Amino acid sequence: AQSVTQLDSQVPVFEEAPVELRCNYSSSVSVYLFWYVQYPNQGLQLLLKYLSGSTLVKGINGFEAEFNKSQTSFHLRKPSVHISDTAEYFCAVSDHLQGAQKLVFGQGTRLTINP
Amino acid sequence: DGGITQSPKYLFRKEGQNVTLSCEQNLNHDAMYWYRQDPGQGLRLIYYSQIVNDFQKGDIAEGYSVSREKKESFPLTVTSAQKNPTAFYLCASSPRIGNSPIVGGEAFFGQGTRLTVV
């Protein structure tokens, strides 16, 4: 079974500083990887996804992630954060169940941006 | 606008009662899902449905039931058998073509329902 580990439950960062949110996965087959963002009391919104091809994936709001197969990682980065980036971030791996796509989520990382 | 609508946003349940959470989508997606979110645990899959009149148990289905009578609707009932129902519930959908999933397709989420047992 696939699993996802987000290594940091909370990450505090100063505004305009760079940030990296770490994600490792375990899978015996090819994977599709996702990062979602959740603002308080809301649903999840897709930031970016890796399906194949270039290992550096760019997403919305200036975020990017790099797929590293040898390290089974998919870390999320942003070179300069803004107060509005304060949210919870979820890494997920796709598992396919007889025609349905099941997303397996990590535990989440709460990103807090301080002025 | 296309999207997923969950209602109500907040729901209070007395112990021993069944309650039903609504999820409606107008994205013409075949697959729909229910997730439960607890602090520090990420999202856990309760039930999913690939097509009308068919659904499958996820990782934590005990104490829950679903139906899929229409493509647009996938209601979740939290029964009295669910011992710890207080949580944030999220509904999602994703597209597929024919008999194959759109591999790596995005899942679209509703805004969630927060259920509290009183």
Side-chain angles (χ1 to χ4, degrees):
Chain A
Q2 293 169 331
S3 66
V4 177
T5 301
Q6 291 183 241
L7 298 163
D8 306 294
S9 60
Q10 297 186 60
V11 174
V13 181
F14 286 108
E15 193 173 15
E16 298 184 4
V19 69
E20 178 179 83
L21 305 183
R22 297 180 293 168
C23 172
N24 285 89
Y25 67 92
S26 65
S27 174
S28 58
V29 297
S30 296
V31 295
Y32 304 99
L33 295 158
F34 305 80
W35 275 100
Y36 283 83
V37 60
Q38 184 181 34
Y39 299 102
N41 293 313
Q42 293 190 26
L44 276 66
Q45 179 185 4
L46 182 70
L47 273 179
L48 50 79
K49 61 184 178 182
Y50 171 79
L51 306 183
S52 64
S54 174
T55 57
L56 183 63
V57 179
K58 294 190 182 297
I60 63 171
N61 301 340
F63 283 94
E64 63 181 33
E66 185 156 19
F67 171 60
N68 188 318
K69 188 175 182 179
S70 63
Q71 297 187 5
T72 60
S73 68
F74 190 55
H75 301 333
L76 181 71
R77 301 186 183 100
K78 186 170 183 178
S80 176
V81 295
H82 189 267
I83 290 285
S84 60
D85 292 322
T86 295
E88 189 143 22
Y89 292 79
F90 291 93
C91 183
V93 62
S94 179
D95 193 355
H96 301 285
L97 305 167
Q98 300 176 338
Q101 173 179 255
K102 168 186 170 182
L103 288 173
V104 177
F105 287 88
Q107 299 88 336
T109 297
R110 184 169 301 277
L111 177 63
T112 303
I113 311 300
N114 299 306
Chain B
D1 287 337
I4 299 181
T5 301
Q6 290 186 242
S7 61
K9 190 172 178 65
Y10 298 96
L11 187 57
F12 297 90
R13 190 195 92 169
K14 293 182 180 179
E15 289 201 27
Q17 281 185 337
N18 293 353
V19 290
T20 297
L21 283 59
S22 171
C23 178
E24 304 276 333
Q25 55 101 357
N26 59 5
L27 299 168
N28 200 33
H29 288 170
D30 285 291
M32 296 187 74
Y33 314 81
W34 275 105
Y35 286 90
R36 171 179 170 143
Q37 185 177 20
D38 295 282
Q41 294 193 45
L43 280 72
R44 294 179 291 169
L45 183 65
I46 305 172
Y47 268 98
Y48 65 98
S49 169
Q50 305 170 53
I51 198 167
V52 174
N53 292 324
D54 182 64
F55 49 84
Q56 306 295 329
K57 293 182 179 180
D59 302 316
I60 56 165
E62 185 176 352
Y64 300 97
S65 66
V66 294
S67 63
R68 187 86 187 275
E69 297 177 1
K70 298 186 301 181
K71 186 176 185 178
E72 300 81 14
S73 179
F74 192 41
L76 173 73
T77 297
V78 184
T79 74
S80 57
Q82 171 49 239
K83 297 306 179 188
N84 185 23
T86 295
F88 191 51
Y89 291 87
L90 286 161
C91 180
S93 70
S94 66
R96 55 179 261 179
I97 296 176
N99 293 321
S100 300
I102 297 181
V103 173
E106 176 183 353
F108 293 79
F109 284 82
Q111 294 299 295
T113 293
R114 187 166 297 281
L115 174 63
T116 304
V117 174
V118 295

